[in-house]
Amino acid sequence: MATSPVKEQPLPLERGLTAVAGLRVGHAEMADRPTGCTVVLTDGGAVAGVDVRGGAPGSRELALLDPAQTVEQVHAAVLAGGSAFGLATATGVVDWLAERKIGFPTGGGPVPIVPAIILYDLEVGGRADVRPDADCGRRACDAAGDGPVAEGSVGAGAGATVGKLLGATRAMRGGLGTAALRTTDGHTVAALVAVNALGDVVDPRDGRLVAGARGDDGKPVDARRLVRSGGGARSPLTAGQNTTIGIIATDAPLSKAGATRLARMGHDGFARTLYPAHTPFDGDALIALATGRGPRLEDPMVLGQLGTLAAEAVAEAILRGVRRATPLPGFPTAEDAPSDRGDTSPKPPSTAK
């Protein structure tokens, strides 16, 4: 009798953020415009920290993540499109968790703690009045699982674009990506990033331009050269209309201070792959989650290793998200834009005499 072939299961690290024990990830999109949200559920709660580097952030509940504040754990974290309107997705997540009696214990019942950060995508795909809402957050919770995380033009990355130094009409597609690594001590660290940057995306391994602002011929012009020559948009319309946001996670048992340090070190991944990064016109922010399900931290130096690998995971997640994006009219992807880029990294001035 014939038997069905056994489906090979992906290695844990290939799952991306869900390689960290205790996390589930779900995406949801809106039907009438490319925008959506991504929810990370922390089964049993997770210690959290945050670091905001961009000048135009949009967020909810981030003040609670300061190490000096009382609440120790969060029950979910949200990334969403839709600018400030997209923060409504967190309300749907809070309601979804409350119905399941998940939250910070109080006399009035559990109160779910759900930090959220958003990106601006209102001008992508038509109707700006279509924004991720509470129902979008609920649907993302319903879809959450611990299998491989979908990447590209999904969830919070559905309407993402990059390379807006010459204006939004010269941009290319951004996206959502994820990556995971493991330390020599057996801890897992992973990142999930929605890439919607003002700047270009560069592969730090070889300096090649992946996606970014395009010239009149539709080819990327390379922001590194553009900025050095004094070029680029100076319109106030670019302010607050970008942002790269993400979640770093580890199974290591960290304090809130340790999670905050993890988020801070993770921003090195932005600096390696986005040019420019952390501008006054981006809301760049990273939330860090520590589920505590991995081995004990026998050596305090391990936190430094975790942070170093977190930056590596962030950089890889950014590259994966942009490379897996699907095209939209007017916004080509890294794969389908005309290119003669080669190694376009700026060269140091010659010292020959």
Side-chain angles (χ1 to χ4, degrees), residues 189-212:
V189 62
L192 176 76
V193 184
V195 192
N196 189 60
L198 174 72
D200 289 358
V201 177
V202 177
D203 191 329
R205 289 168 289 212
D206 55 17
R208 290 177 182 267
L209 178 62
V210 176

Side-chain angles (χ1 to χ4, degrees), residues 7-20:
K7 185 177 290 186
E8 185 175 345
Q9 295 298 314
L11 295 172
L13 294 182
E14 293 176 357
R15 302 205 308 260
L17 199 77
T18 57
V20 175

Side-chain angles (χ1 to χ4, degrees), residues 38-177:
T38 297
V39 173
V40 178
L41 299 176
T42 63
D43 294 340
V47 173
V50 68
D51 192 60
V52 180
R53 298 284 176 93
S59 62
R60 164 182 169 147
E61 297 277 43
L62 294 193
L64 279 174
L65 308 187
D66 187 296
Q69 309 303 354
T70 301
V71 173
E72 286 290 327
Q73 293 192 326
V74 303
H75 307 99
V78 179
L79 307 178
S83 191
F85 302 105
L87 292 173
T89 56
T91 299
V93 177
V94 168
D95 290 343
W96 189 92
L97 291 166
E99 290 166 5
R100 290 155 178 79
K101 302 189 184 308
I102 298 171
F104 182 81
T106 76
V111 176
I113 307 300
V114 182
I117 40 182
I118 51 87
L119 57 80
Y120 181 94
D121 60 6
L122 297 179
E123 298 175 59
V124 177
R127 296 176 52 188
D129 63 326
V130 176
R131 286 105 51 161
D133 54 15
D135 180 67
C136 186
R138 281 181 167 273
R139 289 189 287 114
C141 290
D142 289 335
D146 61 1
V149 179
E151 301 176 272
S153 302
V154 297
T161 55
V162 298
K164 286 161 272 193
L165 278 173
L166 294 176
T169 60
R170 301 286 188 88
M172 293 174 64
R173 286 291 264 150
L176 181 142

Side-chain angles (χ1 to χ4, degrees), residues 6 12 22 87 94 96 109 116 128 143 186 211 222 247 254 260 279 319 335:
V6 176
L87 292 173
V94 168
W96 189 92
D222 198 326
I247 295 169
L254 300 182
T260 300
T279 76
L319 296 173
E335 298 301 319

